[in-house]
């Protein structure tokens, strides 16, 4: 295997607000990987992915800027990480076309996200939604990224990314694309709905009470946690006691991730507590950690020109890495003029 520069890539869709799930499952960990200094870090607002389902143009523009503000407010520093929106680096779409020709229809058909999002009416879904994972593989591999931090729901897409890299390398007899490692770690790789512990917390859930949005103010955050669905039992003192208690497990995991500890440590402190005591403690912690992000996001959103400047600068930096990788790919494939 060739030696690759340790490089992190990850992306978030600008398709509506950011949730606590995005923050704990992705963004907060992006910041840690940036600050560890072991990797080059590249973070992307994946607007081309967002339009695989209908997006109102003005709303997409706003959501992209708001997502950029969210990244910065959460601790991504544009002088340490490359921060940009996907459509501005054409190499993503160009490599995606090559990968559309490497990936197989059967691979795409097996993707659970495709099945969930296309639903029963798959004939009416966009072609882009079907090809979504090949674009995702291109996002990652156009940077020869070695590590990709994501939440649990993206695991299957990352396996497919590896399959595409392996097939490309085999088909062309090269050792060119890395087999990227997913980084799915910590207490909150799958944050669940506050209303139903068997469903993922999601920006598309019709109930706003099911999620915490990064734009929620302190009172709203506290109210959503107070009203979160729970069972009547006290918290156990061991994690085994959370089996069959998905709502309790979810709140313990959220507490652990926000306070950068483990569920075991949370239960060592709070085992035996009733939810009437644990929920206010969690609400205080959540407000403490999240309200400053929301305030900073609003401040940054007052200067959209500055956000656009940061994104343009990030896109220029991203192109410097992506362009030579695409050129080499074209050469390998046999494109004249590459
Ligand atoms: P997206 O925009 O749905 O979500 C962005 C990130 O947030 C994580 N996440 C969660 N983590 C824990 N609990 C939750 N409830 C939760 N909800 C969302 C997701 O796992 C993800 O890490 N296909 C991707 C975007 C993408 C991408 C990429 C990611 C495009 N290209 C390349 C990595 C590498 C997506 O739709 O994420």
């Amino acid at each position: 295997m060739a030696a690759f520069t340790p490089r992190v890539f990850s992306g978030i869709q600008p398709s509506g607000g950011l949730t606590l799930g995005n923050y704990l499952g992705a963004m907060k960990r992006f910041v840690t990987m940036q600050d560890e200094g072991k990797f080059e870090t590249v973070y992307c607002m994946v607007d081309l992915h967002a339009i695989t389902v209908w997006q109102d143009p003005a709303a997409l523009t706003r959501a992209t800027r708001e997502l950029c503000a969210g990244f910065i407010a959460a601790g991504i520093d544009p002088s340490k990480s490359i921060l940009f929106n996907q459509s501005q680096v054409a190499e993503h779409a160009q490599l995606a076309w090559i990968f559309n020709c490497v990936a197989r229809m059967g691979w795409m058909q097996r993707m659970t996200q495709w099945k969930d999002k296309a639903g029963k009416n798959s004939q009416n879904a966009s072609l882009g939604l079907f090809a979504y994972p090949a674009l995702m593989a291109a996002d990652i591999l156009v940077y020869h990224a070695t590590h990709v931090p994501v939440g649990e729901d993206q695991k299957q897409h990352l396996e497919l990314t590896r399959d595409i890299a392996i097939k490309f390398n085999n088909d062309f007899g090269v050792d060119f694309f890395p087999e990227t490692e997913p980084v799915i770690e910590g207490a909150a790789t799958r944050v669940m709905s506050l209303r139903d512990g068997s469903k993922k917390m999601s920006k598309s859930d019709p109930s706003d009470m099911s999620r915490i949005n990064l734009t929620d103010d302190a009172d709203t955050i506290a109210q959503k946690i107070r009203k979160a669905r729970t069972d009547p039992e006290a918290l156990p003192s061991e994690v085994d006691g959370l089996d069959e208690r998905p709502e309790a497990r979810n709140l313990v995991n959220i507490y652990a991730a926000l306070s950068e500890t483990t569920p075991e440590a949370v239960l060592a402190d709070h085992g035996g507590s009733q939810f009437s005591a644990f929920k206010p403690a969690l609400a205080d912690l959540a407000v403490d950690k999240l309200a400053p992000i929301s305030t900073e996001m609003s401040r940054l959103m007052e200067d959209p020109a500055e956000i656009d400047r940061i994104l343009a600068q990030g896109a220029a930096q991203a192109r410097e890495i992506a362009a030579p990788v695409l050129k080499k790919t074209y050469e390998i494939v046999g494109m004249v003029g590459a």
Side-chain angles (χ1 to χ4, degrees), residues 61-334:
T61 305
R62 186 181 163 82
T64 305
R65 291 193 180 124
E66 195 172 84
L67 178 53
C68 182
F71 269 108
I72 297 169
I76 296 299
D77 176 347
S79 70
K80 291 191 194 154
S81 293
I82 299 180
L83 193 60
F84 69 105
N85 60 316
Q86 189 186 28
S87 60
Q88 299 312 299
V89 181
E91 285 80 359
H92 289 241
Q94 291 172 297
L95 185 61
W97 182 259
I98 304 284
F99 288 168
N100 283 343
C101 303
V102 172
R104 306 289 94 182
M105 297 279 282
W107 299 3
M108 300 297 173
Q109 249 147 5
R110 279 197 290 278
M111 294 293 110
T112 52
Q113 182 177 298
W114 159 252
K115 291 190 228 168
D116 291 349
K117 282 202 171 174
K120 291 199 174 61
N121 198 5
S122 65
Q123 292 299 309
N124 201 32
S126 73
L127 188 53
L129 188 65
F130 190 66
Y132 184 115
L135 176 59
M136 189 161 155
D139 295 339
I140 296 166
L141 295 173
V142 85
Y143 300 98
H144 275 183
T146 54
H147 294 79
V148 182
V150 282
E152 179 71 39
D153 60 345
Q154 296 300 316
K155 191 168 178 220
Q156 198 186 25
H157 285 156
L158 294 188
E159 285 162 6
L160 189 97
T161 298
R162 289 167 71 100
D163 290 342
I164 289 179
I166 292 168
K167 186 166 189 307
F168 181 96
N169 288 345
N170 278 340
D171 286 353
F172 293 97
V174 291
D175 183 14
F176 185 57
F177 287 117
E179 287 174 38
T180 304
E181 290 292 333
V183 186
I184 305 175
E185 284 170 2
T189 54
R190 192 168 172 81
V191 177
M192 308 309 278
S193 157
L194 299 178
R195 306 302 304 165
D196 177 352
S198 68
K199 272 173 45 188
K200 194 184 73 166
M201 182 181 286
S202 156
K203 50 192 153 197
S204 54
D205 192 310
S207 163
D208 194 57
M209 292 302 283
S210 70
R211 63 180 159 265
I212 293 173
N213 305 301
L214 282 200
T215 47
D216 285 343
D217 61 23
D219 286 349
T220 311
I221 297 172
Q223 193 205 20
K224 285 178 175 175
I225 291 176
R226 265 200 320 274
K227 297 223 160 137
R229 185 171 149 185
T230 42
D231 57 44
E233 308 296 320
L235 282 177
S237 44
E238 308 282 335
V239 279
D240 289 353
L242 294 170
D243 291 349
E244 316 295 328
R245 297 181 65 189
E247 283 87 10
R249 178 190 296 279
N250 190 37
L251 295 186
V252 168
N253 284 349
I254 292 173
Y255 194 107
L258 283 170
S259 57
E260 295 177 7
T261 158
T262 58
E264 287 78 2
V266 174
L267 292 179
D269 283 351
H270 294 272
S273 292
Q274 296 294 334
F275 282 105
S276 55
F278 183 66
K279 280 178 168 180
L282 177 58
D284 285 349
L285 173 66
V287 167
D288 201 42
K289 301 282 179 186
L290 303 177
I293 299 179
S294 155
T295 310
E296 179 64 359
M297 274 173 82
S298 316
R299 193 188 68 76
L300 291 164
M301 282 298 280
E302 283 167 19
D303 190 355
E306 173 62 7
I307 292 183
D308 294 2
R309 194 195 58 75
I310 290 167
L311 289 176
Q313 173 195 302
Q317 293 170 322
R319 261 180 241 121
E320 279 178 33
I321 307 175
V325 173
L326 183 75
K327 182 174 164 32
K328 183 71 188 160
T329 309
Y330 278 177
E331 276 170 27
I332 292 169
V333 174

